[in-house]
């Protein structure tokens, strides 16, 4: 509401405020069928991912998406409820307690040939104005248990490709940002249970990420290509 009016002349903005209502209400990553909607935008689909894909395919006449931002939060419920419940469901045993990165970071696609590194930096720099960026793991500062959770220089076990950014194989994982094949695509993550931030700061961080990303696209692509739709969604479940 604060910034959208400044971008309306250049972009068509679509917002899907909550793809997984059950997960939002229960603070869980998965849906009521114990499936993860943000791992179901591929061969395996859930009712939630199917509904969103059908809407985009059948009700919108967009040949190409320019930007796709998928906004996520990870709370302590993920560490103490979701992950133990998933292990129990799958018959697995683990003595490790997962760690949640304290700070804001981005998840991008490791399979693309032209990663938008300067776009990522623009968003990270914008977010930095309101909250801290997730640091990479330093094994020199880790306990023995934490060392088992990921090697040096990683965020949530994935190697950082630049400050506050990790890259994973999005198509293989069935993540939402792979659905539109947008030129600019990223998933955001922030930890609202951190003692270093307030809930308002978390909301501001998401907003500043969008603002920084759109400002960068406007400066880089305006004049060279016609305005194309922007897809920004608040996923509504944990990542």
């Amino acid at each position: 509401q604060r910034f959208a009016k400044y971008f309306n002349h250049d972009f068509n903005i679509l917002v899907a405020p909550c793809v997984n209502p059950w997960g939002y209400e229960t603070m869980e990553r998965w849906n009521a069928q114990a499936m993860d909607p943000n791992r179901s935008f591929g061969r395996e689909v859930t009712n939630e991912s199917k509904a969103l894909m059908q809407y985009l395919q059948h009700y919108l006449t967009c040949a190409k998406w320019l930007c796709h931002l998928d906004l996520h939060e990870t709370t302590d419920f993920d560490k103490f409820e979701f992950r133990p419940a998933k292990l129990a469901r799958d018959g697995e045993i683990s003595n490790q307690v997962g760690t949640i990165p304290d700070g804001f970071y981005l998840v991008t696609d490791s399979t693309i040939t032209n990663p938008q590194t300067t776009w990522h930096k623009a968003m990270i720099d914008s977010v930095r104005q309101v909250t801290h960026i997730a640091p990479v793991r330093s094994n020199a500062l880790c306990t023995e248990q934490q060392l088992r959770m990921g090697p040096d220089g990683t965020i949530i076990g994935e190697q950082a490709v630049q400050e506050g950014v990790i890259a994973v194989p999005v198509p293989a994982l069935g993540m939402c940002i792979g659905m539109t094949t947008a030129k600019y695509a990223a998933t955001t993550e922030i930890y609202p249970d951190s003692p270093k931030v307030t809930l308002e700061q978390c909301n501001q961080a998401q907003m500043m990420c969008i603002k920084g990303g759109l400002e960068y696209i406007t400066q880089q692509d305006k004049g060279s290509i016609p305005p194309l739709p922007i897809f920004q969604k608040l996923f509504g479940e944990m990542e």
Side-chain angles (χ1 to χ4, degrees), residues 89-203:
R89 183 198 66 182
D90 297 340
E92 299 177 1
I93 298 175
S94 175
N95 294 324
Q96 298 179 359
V97 177
T99 58
I100 300 173
D102 190 345
F104 182 93
Y105 66 99
L106 297 171
V107 183
T108 62
D109 189 357
S110 63
T111 68
I112 61 176
T113 58
N114 182 31
Q116 302 294 333
T117 56
T118 52
W119 180 60
H120 303 152
K121 184 179 185 303
M123 292 188 289
I124 291 295
D125 288 344
S126 182
V127 171
R128 201 193 316 274
Q129 299 176 52
V130 294
T131 192
H132 61 289
I133 306 304
V136 297
R137 179 180 296 278
S138 173
N139 285 350
L141 303 176
C142 289
T143 65
E144 183 178 348
Q145 180 182 24
Q146 289 172 330
L147 283 172
R148 295 195 294 268
M149 300 305 297
D152 201 18
T154 64
I155 300 175
I156 203 168
E158 300 290 341
Q159 191 67 41
V161 294
Q162 62 187 98
E163 184 189 12
V165 183
I166 61 174
V168 299
V170 166
L173 292 174
M175 294 175 63
C176 182
I177 58 171
M179 173 182 59
T180 56
T181 64
K183 177 180 178 180
Y184 300 96
T187 298
T188 72
E189 279 289 359
I190 196 164
Y191 178 40
D193 290 323
S194 167
K196 301 177 183 178
V197 298
T198 64
L199 294 180
E200 178 60 24
Q201 282 178 297
C202 291
N203 291 334

Side-chain angles (χ1 to χ4, degrees), residues 1-232:
Q1 292 177 342
R2 288 182 57 189
F3 297 117
K5 61 183 179 181
Y6 298 113
F7 298 107
N8 283 343
H9 295 295
D10 297 310
F11 303 110
N12 297 314
I13 301 175
L14 173 66
V15 178
C18 185
V19 172
N20 182 11
W22 187 89
Y24 178 81
E25 291 294 333
T26 59
M27 298 185 71
E28 293 287 356
R29 178 198 304 241
W30 53 31
N31 62 11
Q33 289 73 46
M35 297 178 68
D36 186 347
N38 196 36
R39 296 296 184 270
S40 62
F41 286 89
R43 288 174 294 179
E44 182 182 81
V45 298
T46 62
N47 290 334
E48 294 83 4
S49 61
K50 182 179 179 180
L52 181 58
M53 289 188 289
Q54 287 182 338
Y55 178 77
L56 296 181
Q57 293 169 0
H58 299 296
Y59 293 94
L60 297 179
T61 57
C62 177
K64 183 178 181 180
W65 296 94
L66 178 60
C67 178
H68 182 159
L69 285 171
D70 186 8
L71 311 185
H72 284 249
E73 292 182 346
T74 298
T75 72
D76 285 335
F77 277 83
D78 191 89
K79 178 168 58 177
F80 296 117
E81 294 198 14
F82 167 75
R83 295 184 186 279
K86 183 177 183 298
L87 289 170
R89 183 198 66 182
D90 297 340
E92 299 177 1
I93 298 175
S94 175
N95 294 324
Q96 298 179 359
V97 177
T99 58
I100 300 173
D102 190 345
F104 182 93
Y105 66 99
L106 297 171
V107 183
T108 62
D109 189 357
S110 63
T111 68
I112 61 176
T113 58
N114 182 31
Q116 302 294 333
T117 56
T118 52
W119 180 60
H120 303 152
K121 184 179 185 303
M123 292 188 289
I124 291 295
D125 288 344
S126 182
V127 171
R128 201 193 316 274
Q129 299 176 52
V130 294
T131 192
H132 61 289
I133 306 304
V136 297
R137 179 180 296 278
S138 173
N139 285 350
L141 303 176
C142 289
T143 65
E144 183 178 348
Q145 180 182 24
Q146 289 172 330
L147 283 172
R148 295 195 294 268
M149 300 305 297
D152 201 18
T154 64
I155 300 175
I156 203 168
E158 300 290 341
Q159 191 67 41
V161 294
Q162 62 187 98
E163 184 189 12
V165 183
I166 61 174
V168 299
V170 166
L173 292 174
M175 294 175 63
C176 182
I177 58 171
M179 173 182 59
T180 56
T181 64
K183 177 180 178 180
Y184 300 96
T187 298
T188 72
E189 279 289 359
I190 196 164
Y191 178 40
D193 290 323
S194 167
K196 301 177 183 178
V197 298
T198 64
L199 294 180
E200 178 60 24
Q201 282 178 297
C202 291
N203 291 334
Q204 290 176 356
Q206 303 283 22
M207 178 184 66
M208 292 300 288
C209 179
I210 299 169
K211 178 177 178 289
L214 296 189
E215 286 177 339
Y216 175 90
I217 294 171
T218 301
Q219 294 168 1
Q220 294 296 313
D221 285 337
K222 188 176 180 180
S224 60
I225 60 173
L228 297 175
I230 292 296
F231 179 53
Q232 180 271 315

